[in-house]
Amino acid sequence: MDEHTPHSKDKAPARRRFDLALQGGGSHGAFTWGVLDRLLEDEELEIGGISGTSAGALNAAVLATGFARGGREGAREALAAFWKDVSHSSQVFSPFSVSQAGATGNHFNFDQLPSYQWLSSFFRAFSPYEFNPLNLNPLRDVVQRHVVERDLQRCDIPLFITATSVRTGQARVFTKRELGVDALLASACLPFIFQAVEVDGEPYWDGGYTGNPAIYPLIYNTEAMDIMLVKINPLSREALPTRAVEIIDRLSEITFNASLVAEMRAIAFVSRLVREGTLQAGRYKDLRLHMVADDDGLAPYNASSKFNTDWTFLQQLFELGRKAATHWLRYHRQDLGVRGSLDIEKVFLARHTLGRMPPAPRPANHNGG
């Protein structure tokens, strides 16, 4: 059956509405660009809201700016122009080149380069307040060229952008009139590379530490029962990291996944209690969760490749994203509005943990029993 053919037994409405949750992951955000491009191409799909962190936040803001100006096609064009600009500005983001990486046997990973290992050590020996006292942030120029704050305010798609408070260690979600270039830069602020970004006098770091992405803003602030996660960060890697740079990169991946895994665990638990009647369905959402990902396609690219902004690499990631979205639509389009297509326990609750999820607690007995 063609992916655009209506399903006669489908109970979902003609226009399928859902929220998006977009992960951060450096240049791997080009995979998300491909997913968004494919979703925006489909007239039957309607985005209700977007929660984004870091690269996911930038994708969301660029999409909203383009959508406010030119609808779906405007959003697609805006995303393409943004990622092209990121590639053109690659030298300010990364001192490495594809030709250098090619000499190590992998054209897109940088971890074997002595210069990458040296720079990783440098960033951990000197803070950005020491090696960048003027607080120059080349990402600001790129964002300002592609994100218009007034367009974020008037776009019909609400955005929820997560950053991490340096003082409290808690997530802050920027939305509505709080949204601006500074909030986006805060969401994408890696603390070893950039000075903390101040918003309203408060310093913030990358939102990935507390929500990559945060799901709860969509639960509490939108009507949609369907949430689609676009996942670009691997939950597991088979190879044991043995070099210092590999260990550091893997620790970063684990840290940036921890908050999402915790939220998914809580969502699965609440949904199960709602279905079992322990919690009142009117007060709690039995969410329908979906996920677009390509772990196999992204597996060859380790954490070092997230600094790679070569146009050939970004295009390759874009195509992987489009194919992943097309594959999901072919097999799960009919699930939107009807049922979830993501098995949270299988994907997010590791099979090697001790035991399964605990049984649902019985309602409290207030008669002393």
Side-chain angles (χ1 to χ4, degrees):
M1 179 179 292
D2 184 82
E3 63 184 278
H4 294 289
T5 303
H7 295 258
S8 59
K9 296 183 180 180
D10 193 353
K11 297 179 182 179
R15 184 173 288 276
R16 304 171 194 275
R17 186 179 179 86
F18 58 95
D19 290 340
L20 281 168
L22 309 180
Q23 282 197 320
S27 66
H28 289 197
F31 175 91
T32 302
W33 163 36
V35 173
L36 296 176
D37 186 77
R38 180 64 185 86
L39 297 178
L40 288 165
E41 189 179 66
D42 194 317
E43 296 287 344
E44 292 184 6
L45 304 179
E46 181 179 356
I47 301 172
I50 307 177
S51 176
T53 296
S54 198
L58 299 179
N59 271 319
V62 172
L63 182 154
T65 296
F67 196 92
R69 295 182 170 190
R72 294 170 180 272
E73 286 305 311
R76 295 178 68 194
E77 292 172 3
L79 285 164
F82 169 74
W83 283 101
K84 190 71 173 179
D85 195 359
V86 167
S87 178
H88 285 162
S89 305
S90 61
Q91 291 305 310
V92 299
F93 291 107
S94 171
F96 318 111
S97 70
V98 171
S99 60
Q100 288 176 309
T104 68
N106 188 307
H107 292 284
F108 299 121
N109 293 334
F110 291 145
D111 60 312
Q112 296 290 338
L113 294 175
S115 55
Y116 177 82
Q117 299 176 43
W118 178 87
L119 198 59
S120 295
S121 299
F122 176 85
F123 283 143
R124 283 161 177 79
F126 300 95
S127 83
Y129 296 87
E130 295 171 315
F131 67 75
N132 184 15
L134 297 180
N135 196 20
L136 302 176
N137 189 341
L139 183 58
R140 180 179 293 276
D141 294 334
V142 177
V143 173
Q144 287 178 328
R145 286 196 290 269
H146 298 274
V147 174
V148 180
E149 293 184 2
R150 65 175 179 273
D151 289 335
L152 298 182
Q153 313 301 331
R154 66 190 184 95
C155 181
D156 293 333
I157 302 173
L159 305 184
F160 306 93
I161 304 304
T162 303
T164 301
S165 169
V166 178
R167 299 184 194 278
T168 68
Q170 300 297 310
R172 175 173 176 183
V173 178
F174 295 90
T175 189
K176 298 180 180 177
R177 298 199 177 278
E178 301 173 335
L179 279 176
V181 170
D182 284 339
L184 295 171
L185 294 176
S187 182
C189 178
L190 292 172
F192 287 108
I193 299 177
F194 301 115
Q195 293 186 24
V197 177
E198 289 197 4
V199 182
D200 300 327
E202 286 294 317
Y204 293 94
W205 283 335
D206 196 294
Y209 295 105
T210 50
N212 193 22
I215 306 296
Y216 68 88
L218 300 173
I219 298 175
Y220 294 117
N221 296 286
T222 73
E223 298 295 326
M225 296 291 287
D226 291 79
I227 297 178
M228 179 184 293
L229 168 68
V230 181
K231 187 174 77 69
I232 57 177
N233 290 313
L235 290 168
S236 62
R237 286 192 184 273
E238 295 300 322
L240 174 68
T242 55
R243 296 183 299 127
V245 66
E246 294 173 340
I247 294 170
I248 291 170
D249 286 344
R250 182 58 185 149
L251 280 173
S252 295
E253 287 180 339
I254 292 171
T255 301
F256 273 60
N257 280 327
S259 57
L260 176 63
V261 171
E263 269 201 284
M264 286 296 183
R265 185 185 296 271
I267 290 170
F269 187 62
V270 170
S271 294
R272 183 157 63 88
L273 295 183
V274 171
R275 291 193 296 270
E276 293 175 353
T278 305
L279 293 179
Q280 185 179 348
R283 296 185 60 189
Y284 299 91
K285 287 184 176 181
D286 182 9
L287 294 171
R288 297 183 290 265
L289 293 179
H290 314 275
M291 183 175 74
V292 176
D294 185 0
D295 288 348
D296 291 338
L298 291 174
Y301 313 125
N302 61 33
S304 70
S305 68
K306 294 178 180 180
F307 292 96
N308 189 341
T309 55
D310 179 80
W311 182 238
T312 300
F313 183 49
L314 297 184
Q315 285 181 305
Q316 187 164 320
L317 293 171
F318 169 80
E319 291 300 332
L320 284 175
R322 273 194 60 92
K323 289 178 182 177
T326 297
H327 181 271
W328 189 92
L329 288 171
R330 179 176 297 122
Y331 291 100
H332 297 293
R333 172 197 296 274
Q334 69 274 17
D335 293 329
L336 285 171
V338 179
R339 65 185 71 83
S341 61
L342 171 62
D343 186 336
I344 295 179
E345 291 192 42
K346 179 179 179 181
V347 175
F348 287 94
L349 307 186
R351 58 187 138 177
H352 298 300
T353 54
L354 294 176
R356 295 174 58 81
M357 289 181 64
R362 294 182 179 180
N365 186 333
H366 298 289
N367 295 319

